[in-house]
Amino acid sequence: MTVSSNTRSRRKNLLLDIMLFVICVLLLMPLLLLIANGFKTPQEILVWPPTILPKDPTLENFHRVFSETPLFRWIFNSLSFALLSMIAIVITSTLAGYVVAKFQFWTINVIFTLFLATAIIPFEVYMIPLYFQVKALGALNSIGGLLIGYLVMSFGIFLIRQNVIAAVPDELIEAARIDGAGEFWIFWHIVVPLLKGPIAALSVLAFFQAWTTFAWPIVVLTRKTAFTIEVGLANFQSAYTVDLALLSAASAAVMVPSVLVFVLLRRSFVEGIAASGMKE
Amino acid sequence: MVSSALFAAPNSNLEGKDKVSRKKRFWFAIIAILPTFAIFGWVRMFPIAETLRLSLFEWNLLSRNKPFVGLENFRELFQDDQFLDAIINTAAIAFGAMAVTIPVSMVLAAVIYHRTRSRFAGFYETAVFIPHVVSLVPAAMAWKWVFDAKLGPLNRLIVAFGGEAQPWLFDPVLSVICIILLVSWQTLGYGVLIYLVGFRNLPKSVYEAARLDGANGVQSFFFMSVPLLKPITLYVSVVTLISGFNVYAQAFILASDTQGAPGRLVRVLVLDMLENSFQNFRVGYAAAEAVILLVIVLVLTGVQFGLLRQRGRK
């Protein structure tokens, strides 16, 4: 390759990099400004053009949010709901995915196919009858009630099944059986350690799914102390529509930690999502 | 198929032991999978069946009798202006978001893939993906400010460039466009991610050959990547459409003020359904709406499978 074409392609790449960089910053801009607005005084929030670094940063908005709303309570509710849902989904998906992959009993396969077929049905379709089931149990306004909608995940079973087929050789299981190992021992000591990657990916997916869900909690939770953070914020924003700085502070307080967690766990997350695209 | 491999025992030279271990294995499988199956039946199959059943009844939540009305709920729905408004808005949001997401995420993914070796590659992927993981409510609140008629940066930018400020969240058409923008901003990261997987799986040799034949980057994008990635485009389109038909939080935050300046309410399907069920106490009627949502989703999925199969046959 000649020198001139080399520099030309380098210049082109630099241009592409700048373009991508600008696009990324623009995409993040609403969130960055939201965070910045949380630290601004009511006067500075009206300034045009908006400042990304507040000139006179204040924590006043955060003080007010935490004193006027049970924000910590809401975060606690969301966290417990998301963690419990994650644990339930990981346990049910791992067990079921392993069985479906390695135990070829036709009864199990038929039922599994039936359940997998329901994966395309959105939650919103069967939310109302599910609400009455939760109500009958007296579990409205509780984390248990919320959880009922998020105990299983069809895609989770599918993800584990694919990974068991790809990563757990039959010979290994058979060898353990010949050595006299019990089935649960094999599952726990041989299969689970081989599935660390997919289990991590599934955990992150399940956690974020519960953390960000909106329609189900808004139906099940009506008491302020039982709100998840999403429902709490939504109600808060309709009550304080005029107080922009306060709303921004509340949103930022919730958003920043979850974005940080995402950036830390990015690889697992991306793996899980990418796997979902490879369905067929 | 399933029946021929009833028992997957590879080493069958241990005939005697085999029967015992088969039985043991069967019981392990049952015990391990039973909780999951039970939960599935309880929280998914049952309520789905209930939705279908309730849609044929009239039930006001309080009274004991639930008269069977057949398809009356559906007939009424198609004469209900609010429902028709909801379904038109929802369809506009779903198809609008798809029309924005597909081309933009494909081009972005192509450029990011091209710059895989850039030291910023990780940043690009993360930055594009963050809107997809941020909780809906804070994200919608950020955009609500962007679209704000008086204080919002969007109007100020328009005015700064000599345009005319628009009542973004107050106008019936503009507020739907705002929701489309918000939804697209959120699904973009998902689209880019799936397309990136697609680009990475494309055969490199074909591109190499095209380059030697003198095709430039834009040409090979349009004449090779676009057709080769068709299955992925189909998949992302259907996922975007289905999630678009379930839009709720975005409309709830962006376009439904209960206090202060009254923003215009953008009625969407899920909102209409919940309102009918829990405010108007018409559960059967709401279940009929849910059934319509189900039918839409099934049709979209069916179309996807049909198109994929057609491709496979060619």
Side-chain angles (χ1 to χ4, degrees), chain A residues 276-277 279, chain B residues 187 190 233-245 304:
Chain A
S276 81
K279 266 182 188 174
Chain B
T187 46
Y190 178 78
T233 303
L234 204 54
Y235 174 76
V236 180
S237 312
V238 172
V239 170
T240 321
L241 275 178
I242 290 179
S243 73
F245 270 99
Q304 181 197 15

Side-chain angles (χ1 to χ4, degrees), chain B residues 78-311:
Chain B
F78 284 103
Q79 288 155 7
D80 177 342
D81 285 340
Q82 290 202 321
F83 169 74
L84 293 176
D85 184 30
I87 204 138
I88 288 168
N89 283 336
T90 313
I93 291 167
F95 282 97
M98 180 188 80
V100 176
T101 305
I102 296 292
V104 177
S105 59
M106 198 167 175
V107 171
L108 255 183
V111 181
I112 292 179
Y113 175 69
H114 180 74
R115 297 299 301 138
T116 306
R117 266 175 297 167
S118 156
R119 81 184 77 164
F120 301 113
F123 167 74
Y124 300 150
E125 266 182 63
T126 316
V128 172
F129 204 64
I130 280 180
H132 187 71
V133 287
V134 164
S135 315
L136 285 176
V137 177
M141 274 151 95
W143 280 93
K144 192 174 187 172
W145 172 66
V146 171
F147 292 131
D148 192 281
K150 267 181 278 171
L151 308 171
L154 184 60
N155 264 352
R156 294 211 183 175
L157 270 178
I158 291 175
V159 172
F161 283 100
E164 206 171 310
Q166 301 290 327
W168 291 104
L169 297 172
F170 297 87
D171 180 87
V173 176
L174 290 180
S175 50
V176 170
I177 290 176
C178 289
I179 296 179
I180 291 175
L181 284 177
L182 169 57
V183 173
S184 312
W185 174 76
Q186 286 171 320
T187 46
L188 190 65
Y190 178 78
V192 169
L193 186 79
I194 302 290
Y195 273 120
L196 272 175
V197 176
F199 276 111
R200 284 181 192 135
N201 291 337
L202 287 181
K204 298 212 173 36
S205 52
V206 187
Y207 285 88
E208 204 52 40
R211 209 172 55 85
L212 290 177
D213 283 347
N216 63 27
V218 176
Q219 280 169 333
S220 58
F221 175 79
F222 278 109
F223 296 111
M224 296 171 60
S225 307
V226 173
L228 283 172
L229 291 171
K230 227 180 212 164
I232 293 193
T233 303
L234 204 54
Y235 174 76
V236 180
S237 312
V238 172
V239 170
T240 321
L241 275 178
I242 290 179
S243 73
F245 270 99
N246 286 301
V247 62
Y248 174 52
Q250 294 90 338
F252 185 99
I253 302 295
L254 220 51
S256 68
D257 272 328
T258 50
Q259 294 181 13
R264 187 184 167 279
L265 186 87
V266 174
R267 192 162 277 282
V268 290
L269 204 50
V270 174
L271 182 130
D272 197 55
M273 187 175 97
L274 292 179
E275 218 175 77
N276 274 325
S277 179
F278 297 113
Q279 278 173 32
N280 305 337
F281 304 117
R282 301 190 62 194
V283 179
Y285 196 58
E289 289 190 85
V291 171
I292 289 173
L293 179 61
L294 175 64
V295 170
I296 292 172
V297 169
L298 291 180
V299 168
L300 291 175
T301 316
V303 169
Q304 181 197 15
F305 274 116
L307 289 175
L308 272 181
R309 187 166 298 170
Q310 213 174 23
R311 259 182 66 83

Side-chain angles (χ1 to χ4, degrees), chain A residues 8-74:
Chain A
R8 198 188 304 150
S9 82
R10 199 173 296 160
R11 199 173 301 154
K12 213 168 80 186
N13 282 341
L14 184 72
L15 213 71
L16 285 177
D17 270 336
I18 293 172
M19 195 187 84
L20 278 176
F21 206 85
V22 170
I23 292 175
C24 288
V25 170
L26 278 178
L27 283 174
L28 295 179
M29 196 48 93
L31 301 177
L32 293 174
L33 285 171
L34 180 83
I35 297 169
N37 284 349
F39 290 96
K40 289 179 188 170
T41 56
Q43 291 79 38
E44 192 179 353
I45 223 166
L46 304 175
V47 170
W48 179 260
T51 43
I52 292 196
L53 287 174
K55 275 189 212 100
D56 185 18
T58 166
L59 288 175
E60 176 56 24
N61 300 318
F62 291 91
H63 279 300
R64 276 187 60 205
V65 168
F66 282 105
S67 64
E68 284 173 33
T69 67
L71 203 67
F72 278 120
R73 181 66 205 240
W74 294 343

Side-chain angles (χ1 to χ4, degrees), chain A residues 13 17 27 46 48 104-105 115 124-126 129 132-133 154 177 183 214 230 241 244 266 273 276, chain B residues 5-7 25 40 42 44 51 61 114-115 124 126 133 135 144-145 156 185 193 235 249 257 273:
Chain A
N13 282 341
D17 270 336
L27 283 174
L46 304 175
W48 179 260
Q104 303 283 318
F105 300 108
F115 285 171
E124 285 77 1
V125 167
Y126 52 91
F132 290 111
Q133 286 173 265
S154 322
R177 279 184 189 139
E183 293 294 335
F214 183 72
E230 290 280 281
T241 38
L244 195 64
R266 190 183 123 233
I273 299 265
S276 81
Chain B
L6 250 169
F7 301 105
R25 249 175 273 167
F40 251 101
W42 177 45
R44 194 157 293 173
T51 300
L61 205 61
H114 180 74
R115 297 299 301 138
Y124 300 150
T126 316
V133 287
S135 315
K144 192 174 187 172
W145 172 66
R156 294 211 183 175
W185 174 76
L193 186 79
Y235 174 76
D257 272 328
M273 187 175 97

